[in-house]
Amino acid sequence: MRVAARKSLALSLALILLLLLPGCWNYTEVDDMSIVAGVALDKAKDGKLQLTAEMVDIQNGLEQQSQAGFKMISLSGNTIFDIARNMISMTGKKLFWSHAKSIIFSEELAREGLIPYIDWYSRDTETRSDVFIFVSEEKNARDVLNLNSTTESVMSFELAQLMRDEKFVAGAPVVEIWDFIDKLEVSGQSAVAPLIHVHELNGHKNERVEGTAVFDKDKMVGKLDGKESKAMLFVKNKISEGVLEVEDRTGKPAYSLEILSSRTEVRPVLREGDITIHLSTVTKTGLDEVMNTGGMTQHESLKDIEKRAGEKLRQDMLSVIHKVQREYHADIFGFGAAVHRKMPKQWKQIREHWSDIFTDLEVTVDAKVIIESTAKTSRALKLGD
Amino acid sequence: MGKEVIPAGQSATIAILFIIGTSLFMGVAGQSGNSSWISIIIAVVLAVPLMLVYARLHTLFPGKGLYDMLLSIFGGVFGRLACCLYIWYSLHLGCMVLRNFGEFSKTVALTSTPMLAPMLIIGLLCVWVVNAGIEVLGRSAKFLLLFCIAVTFLVQILSVPKYDYHHMLPLLERGWGAVWTDVIGTFTFPFAEIVIMTGAFGAFPNKGSARRVLLSSLLIAGVIIIAVSLRNLLVLGPDIVSSLYFPSYVAVGRINIGDFLTRIEGSSAIVFVTALFVKVSLCLYVASCGVAKVFKLESYRSVVLQLGLIMVYMAEFIYRDITEMQYFGYHIYKIYALPFQVILPAVLWISAEIVAARKRKRTAAEG
């Protein structure tokens, strides 16, 4: 009896499992999905939201392996999720978001505030929070994605690749959406996002990521150009590679230093009741380009170049700090967070009006550039007689 | 069928998996933000005397389970009432854990699958293992624990590049008040839930291994939970952790080793399922044992299937939605659980000590 009962239990369990194990409840073949590579968000003319999705065309990809196909689709509506679902009525396939890599906001949206538009992306379970976020300098964010017709590649994936290599350029911050949201939530630190525009020269159109969009809360308040962005990244200790330009004695750009490593420390100091921020940066570099003859040894020693580079870096950092303080009042450097960490008691008193304090905050910068190597050659090129 | 006995090593592994069960994924109470690890340490320390009380109960009643103790101390009527309370508690705890899993799979893993499906499968698996006996559970726990620890350790190492030590500062930002609230929360969930284990004391070897089992498993589980919640804190930061239902899942999702090893959160969810399986099984076992004791059944096995199905269905309707689940878990549960975890065992222990002292006196007088 017992054995029989056990056998029938095992059998029924096996039968039930047979029903459930073969696959997911909502199993979908890959060619029944549209894989979203990236999205651009614009404001439509009627004030609604317009979402442009770039999708990977799978059929096309099967036929010619060398080149990935893509499909563009735009739709406007009131909420993002609504648009995303309504797009099915245009593609006939459910959009699949887990492989999306980039999300581009138009400047107009960014200036109005991004909170309404990023919540869905971090909340929904299909979207992943490691997409790269951009703010478009073009009038419409979709113009950037539309470039794929000229570059003939999936633009969103190209942008993601670009962000992965951005550290060699250091002309714009690299921001994933979770990082952006993190900065919105944490007090004493404002968010930034890289700027993207269509670069046109000699008839070649290309996307270009350069510069920084500065946010106060979730509203974009201003821009930094590429140079300022690099200085900002120095302040934020986000530099790992990149190039430092140094002028020679006459003020002509003559040397390039390749950054090998860089470290910035933020130290808030309490002096007579006032908080001042002390920054110290140590950057290790290698001299990688000398554009004059006889430099390095005859006219200027490495020490001179180091010194000039350090001074230049110091001024760049100070000027970007002053610009952000005076014009944008947004603590993108995280000085407030540093105060919060080091002096929790003082922070409690000042956190409410931190943006006012930040504007008048006294910041001192100490920048040191060390030249560790001179690449392959030990001296500048010489002109023979 | 002879009496079941689980060796000390296996019961310790059951206890460890039982404690880390849901906390691995739900995280622990987080009022104190970046100082929650301090409250976990305090909660572990506070749980030590409780473990000693449980262990002492085992020495006072060797070879007896919780229900036998209740019956022999409080008598037939009140003892049965107390037994019913514990049957309810273990059944309810099993439900809550199942529901956590159901919500987890519905929110992040299988979004279109009705919650009942995964819960039913796990529930039936638990019915199966409990029917097979606690020895089977012990043996599987021993194997599963190795797997769990290996995965947790690996994920821990892989997430080191994502650590941001700034999240630790400033220490004790929200003051000791928040820490103590968290201590109570963490103490009741998950550490003191081990009171369920006393229901399985009947299967423990007679000689005083209970203390060793309980203390060592508390320590190991405590270390694992501290490590996991520190990882969540360092990867996500206190603000984000507090906004997430399943912080571990998101924290593991951030892992990105050279753009190659990414999106491994799904695999780490397996750990959650294994630990939860052990936890639900033990709850089911203890609830069945209780029913068998109260109604003087020959074997607890005759009610396992029924209770298991009740557990699954109750898990389905116990909360309306995930926000309610979280509210109950973090705000109400710590008060609700205290009588089962501390007050009743303490009363039982004190009465048992008095009874034992009387008996000693009597035997001394007679001798």
Side-chain angles (χ1 to χ4, degrees):
Chain A
M1 182 58 213
R2 175 159 219 106
V3 178
R6 204 180 261 196
K7 267 190 182 157
S8 62
L9 178 71
L11 192 68
S12 59
L13 273 177
L15 283 177
I16 294 171
L17 288 179
L18 197 65
L19 280 177
L20 296 166
L21 284 181
C24 323
W25 210 271
N26 54 334
Y27 173 71
T28 328
E29 285 285 353
V30 71
D31 49 355
D32 288 334
M33 299 187 289
S34 286
I35 296 173
V36 178
V39 282
L41 280 165
D42 286 305
K43 193 140 194 183
K45 283 200 188 80
D46 52 359
K48 281 185 176 175
L49 200 63
Q50 191 179 84
L51 191 144
T52 305
E54 185 185 33
M55 288 167 304
V56 182
D57 198 348
I58 303 160
Q59 261 82 28
N60 205 346
L62 280 177
E63 281 160 18
Q64 35 194 137
Q65 293 287 328
S66 59
Q67 182 183 322
F70 48 82
K71 233 173 19 188
M72 305 287 290
I73 183 170
S74 287
L75 192 66
S76 53
N78 289 322
T79 67
I80 298 183
F81 192 45
D82 183 46
I83 301 173
R85 276 293 149 90
N86 281 337
M87 278 183 166
I88 300 176
S89 66
M90 301 167 78
T91 59
K93 295 172 181 176
K94 203 168 165 226
L95 272 64
F96 186 68
W97 290 84
S98 294
H99 288 291
K101 282 282 175 225
S102 322
I103 180 165
I104 309 172
F105 294 101
S106 73
E107 198 182 324
E108 194 184 1
L109 282 183
R111 289 204 184 260
E112 281 173 19
L114 284 185
I115 283 276
Y117 312 118
I118 54 174
D119 178 78
W120 175 71
Y121 218 91
S122 76
R123 185 183 299 271
D124 193 84
T125 49
E126 204 176 282
T127 55
R128 292 185 60 89
S129 56
D130 58 359
V131 293
F132 293 107
I133 182 172
F134 302 91
V135 172
S136 162
E137 278 187 296
E138 301 298 317
K139 193 161 164 297
N140 293 310
R142 61 175 180 274
D143 294 346
V144 179
L145 284 187
N146 279 335
L147 271 180
N148 57 14
S149 52
T150 46
T151 57
E152 298 201 331
S153 55
V154 182
M155 183 52 57
S156 311
F157 291 161
E158 212 173 289
L159 288 178
Q161 186 61 41
L162 219 141
M163 286 328 265
R164 267 181 227 123
D165 292 340
E166 177 62 34
K167 62 174 185 223
F168 300 114
V169 187
V174 177
V175 184
E176 295 180 7
I177 203 164
W178 61 265
D179 189 22
F180 188 80
I181 295 171
D182 209 33
K183 297 287 181 303
L184 293 185
E185 291 211 344
V186 172
S187 59
Q189 179 140 36
S190 295
V192 289
L195 284 169
I196 187 166
H197 65 268
V198 177
H199 181 78
E200 193 171 357
L201 192 66
N202 300 338
H204 306 301
K205 273 184 163 184
N206 275 95
E207 76 279 10
R208 172 138 202 233
V209 177
E210 193 190 26
T212 307
V214 177
F215 285 81
D216 182 16
K217 304 251 163 41
D218 67 324
K219 292 185 177 59
M220 178 177 160
V221 288
K223 295 176 187 174
L224 301 176
D225 65 23
K227 284 242 151 53
E228 290 165 336
S229 297
K230 188 184 278 183
M232 175 207 74
L233 291 174
F234 266 108
V235 177
K236 288 177 68 144
N237 191 22
K238 283 280 163 67
I239 291 274
S240 57
E241 272 161 86
V243 176
L244 270 185
E245 255 175 41
V246 189
E247 291 157 355
D248 67 7
R249 239 180 327 192
T250 55
K252 219 170 81 187
Y255 307 103
S256 297
L257 303 180
E258 181 187 6
I259 298 169
L260 303 173
S261 71
S262 174
R263 187 171 170 76
T264 307
E265 269 171 37
V266 181
R267 203 153 42 87
V269 188
L270 200 63
R271 210 179 290 148
E272 293 155 18
D274 278 341
I275 291 172
T276 58
I277 301 283
H278 186 75
L279 287 170
S280 60
T281 272
V282 177
T283 307
K284 291 180 179 163
T285 62
L287 183 67
D288 215 38
E289 187 175 4
V290 180
M291 289 177 78
N292 54 14
T293 52
M296 231 168 99
T297 44
Q298 290 176 7
H299 306 302
E300 292 175 293
S301 65
L302 286 179
K303 282 270 170 305
D304 292 331
I305 303 174
E306 271 181 359
K307 216 169 167 186
R308 202 171 303 128
E311 179 55 26
K312 169 122 187 312
L313 183 60
R314 194 182 79 88
Q315 276 169 7
D316 283 351
M317 286 164 77
L318 266 180
S319 81
V320 71
I321 291 169
H322 287 155
K323 178 175 178 181
V324 172
Q325 277 181 321
R326 267 195 298 267
E327 292 178 28
Y328 305 140
H329 318 291
D331 184 6
I332 57 174
F333 309 108
F335 292 154
V339 175
H340 183 187
R341 282 195 296 271
K342 295 276 158 60
M343 323 170 171
K345 278 204 194 103
Q346 278 81 3
W347 176 249
K348 253 181 205 152
Q349 296 158 8
I350 58 172
R351 68 182 298 168
E352 291 304 318
H353 36 268
W354 172 249
S355 69
D356 298 334
I357 295 177
F358 171 73
T359 308
D360 305 320
L361 198 65
E362 197 190 316
V363 182
T364 56
V365 177
D366 183 21
K368 191 169 180 191
V369 174
I370 300 168
I371 297 176
E372 281 187 333
S373 72
T374 59
K376 277 200 305 234
T377 43
S378 61
R379 55 169 174 76
L381 294 180
K382 262 195 308 209
L383 284 175
D385 301 314
Chain B
M1 194 176 266
K3 193 172 173 300
E4 292 177 306
V5 176
I6 33 174
Q10 291 180 8
S11 45
T13 54
I14 295 183
I16 294 169
L17 283 172
F18 183 88
I19 296 177
I20 63 174
T22 29
S23 307
L24 273 189
F25 259 78
M26 294 288 286
V28 288
Q31 307 251 329
S32 53
N34 56 8
S35 310
S36 59
W37 57 277
I38 298 177
S39 53
I40 300 175
I41 294 176
I42 300 175
V44 171
V45 172
L46 281 184
V48 168
L50 199 66
M51 298 299 137
L52 293 177
V53 168
Y54 297 159
R56 174 72 186 156
L57 281 174
H58 183 251
T59 350
L60 288 172
F61 305 94
K64 282 185 173 181
L66 173 70
Y67 301 108
D68 290 318
M69 304 174 192
L70 289 170
L71 286 174
S72 68
I73 291 293
F74 297 133
V77 181
F78 290 105
R80 281 204 163 69
L81 267 178
C83 285
C84 287
L85 283 178
Y86 273 102
I87 295 169
W88 163 252
Y89 179 62
S90 48
L91 199 63
H92 188 199
L93 183 63
C95 285
M96 292 192 289
V97 176
L98 263 185
R99 178 61 183 248
N100 287 344
F101 169 65
E103 289 289 359
F104 172 74
S105 88
K106 192 160 166 55
T107 340
V108 292
L110 312 165
T111 43
S112 306
T113 311
M115 208 189 296
L116 189 62
M119 290 197 305
L120 193 65
I121 291 173
I122 292 282
L124 287 178
L125 191 65
C126 297
V127 168
W128 189 357
V129 77
V130 174
N131 237 321
I134 188 134
E135 290 170 327
V136 178
L137 184 64
R139 282 198 296 273
S140 27
K142 200 170 180 182
F143 165 71
L144 292 174
L145 180 72
L146 283 179
F147 170 74
C148 280
I149 289 185
V151 172
T152 316
F153 183 73
L154 192 70
V155 168
Q156 197 83 15
I157 299 290
L158 289 180
S159 45
V160 168
K162 289 276 167 188
Y163 283 3
D164 185 353
Y165 296 98
H166 286 164
H167 290 312
M168 298 276 282
L169 295 169
L171 215 53
L172 291 174
E173 189 196 2
R174 296 179 206 173
W176 280 101
V179 170
W180 282 108
T181 328
D182 271 6
V183 167
I184 300 169
T186 324
F187 175 75
T188 52
F189 163 73
F191 293 115
E193 280 176 350
I194 201 71
V195 70
I196 298 286
M197 200 80 195
T198 56
F201 271 0
F204 272 42
N206 281 353
K207 281 182 192 151
S209 62
R211 181 189 300 169
R212 217 178 62 225
V213 167
L214 289 176
L215 286 182
S216 61
S217 53
L218 174 74
L219 201 73
I220 296 173
V223 168
I224 294 176
I225 289 178
I226 289 172
V228 166
S229 58
L230 260 183
R231 177 198 72 202
N232 293 350
L233 175 72
L234 289 175
V235 174
L236 299 171
D239 298 279
I240 299 287
V241 166
S242 66
S243 78
L244 293 169
Y245 291 117
F246 305 105
S248 297
Y249 191 77
V250 180
V252 176
R254 295 272 170 87
I255 293 177
N256 181 345
I257 308 291
D259 276 324
F260 171 67
L261 203 55
T262 60
R263 314 187 176 201
I264 58 175
E265 64 265 39
S267 347
S268 78
I270 298 171
V271 175
F272 178 46
V273 179
T274 43
L276 156 143
F277 157 68
V278 171
K279 190 164 184 176
V280 176
S281 299
L282 189 66
C283 288
L284 184 60
Y285 171 77
V286 169
S288 314
C289 280
V291 172
K293 268 287 148 16
V294 170
F295 295 105
K296 293 184 179 151
L297 303 178
E298 262 179 37
S299 162
Y300 69 89
R301 286 193 170 83
S302 52
V303 288
V304 172
L305 182 64
Q306 296 88 317
L307 283 177
L309 289 178
I310 289 176
M311 207 180 243
V312 173
Y313 295 138
M314 204 162 93
E316 170 86 5
F317 66 74
I318 194 166
Y319 309 116
R320 208 177 300 134
D321 50 38
I322 192 169
T323 47
E324 204 172 288
M325 174 177 104
Q326 210 189 23
Y327 183 76
F328 186 87
Y330 290 141
H331 297 279
I332 301 179
Y333 184 75
K334 55 189 167 203
I335 301 156
Y336 161 79
L338 268 185
F340 302 108
Q341 294 174 344
V342 181
I343 299 174
L344 269 172
V347 171
L348 179 67
W349 168 57
I350 292 167
S351 334
E353 288 287 359
I354 294 170
V355 170
R358 267 195 210 144
K359 204 186 270 173
R360 264 201 301 276
K361 212 183 271 173
R362 205 175 303 145
T363 45
E366 280 167 5

